[in-house]
Amino acid sequence: RAKVAVLISGRGSNMQALAAHAGAAYRIVVVASDKPEAPGLDWAVQAGLPTFALSPKGIGKQAYESALDAALRAAGAEWIALAGYMRLLSDEFVARWRGRIVNIHPSLLPKYKGLDTHARAIAAGDAEAGCSVHLVTEELDGGKVLGQARVPILPGDTPDALAARVLAEEHRLYPAVLADMVRR
Ligand code: GAR
């Protein structure tokens, strides 16, 4: 079973979906957060998962990332799954884990990299939106797409309503794509 580290910054609903589907393909060996106050960390503790919390504030990005790297390796992680992790990883960090970091992004990449994806899809008049699981490279939201799920954009949709529709698909897509990838 592949050993996966999950990185979060907030709520952690994708982390929960990944945890719910852990089993034959993978298991979560640590949940790490750059925000010690992230609600998802409390859930992880309750679920009995090892956690690591450290803010880069005050210590700088380099010190933060080397401590993070050390914690993930100490936990035995072989893969990293970003799940609402809202901080850019440095080129050096990405290089150390090349081909072993995946992310879920709330748009149909290559459309709408970055933030405010749902508002941008609605403003553009798109008929559909969705989410993508992709490999993480040095380019923001730019690595190879491993899987996508689509939802319709409905008349009168708000960004929040669309986000909720997409999020339900994220929770299905991410565990399936992760399991698929680590089996190869
Ligand atoms: C999810 O919708 C995820 O796709 C998005 O943040 C949300 C996190 O929710 N990620 C990004 O925007 C990455 N740039 P969660 O904490 O409940 O999983």
Side-chain angles (χ1 to χ4, degrees), residues 10-15 83-86 103-106 114-115 141 167 170-171:
R11 180 177 57 184
S13 72
N14 276 290
M15 165 199 67
Y85 182 75
M86 301 308 280
N103 180 41
I104 183 138
H105 182 75
L115 300 176
D141 300 327
L167 191 65
E170 293 185 40
H171 296 162

Side-chain angles (χ1 to χ4, degrees), residues 6-16 18 32-35 38-40 81-88 102-106 115 167 170-171 174:
V6 179
L7 268 55
I8 64 169
S9 297
R11 180 177 57 184
S13 72
N14 276 290
M15 165 199 67
Q16 292 186 36
L18 291 175
S33 176
D34 62 322
K35 292 224 163 67
L82 307 183
Y85 182 75
M86 301 308 280
R87 194 172 291 280
L88 264 178
V102 290
N103 180 41
I104 183 138
H105 182 75
L115 300 176
L167 191 65
E170 293 185 40
H171 296 162
Y174 207 179

Side-chain angles (χ1 to χ4, degrees), residues 85-141:
Y85 182 75
M86 301 308 280
R87 194 172 291 280
L88 264 178
L89 294 167
S90 71
D91 291 359
E92 293 70 29
F93 189 97
V94 170
R96 270 185 255 133
W97 290 87
R98 180 157 322 279
R100 304 224 145 219
I101 312 177
V102 290
N103 180 41
I104 183 138
H105 182 75
S107 79
L108 295 171
L109 290 172
K111 280 186 142 182
Y112 312 126
K113 298 173 179 177
L115 300 176
D116 298 322
T117 54
H118 304 302
R120 288 154 69 199
I122 292 170
D126 292 357
E128 55 178 15
C131 51
S132 307
V133 176
H134 66 92
L135 276 177
V136 171
T137 64
E138 287 81 351
E139 192 200 334
L140 175 70
D141 300 327

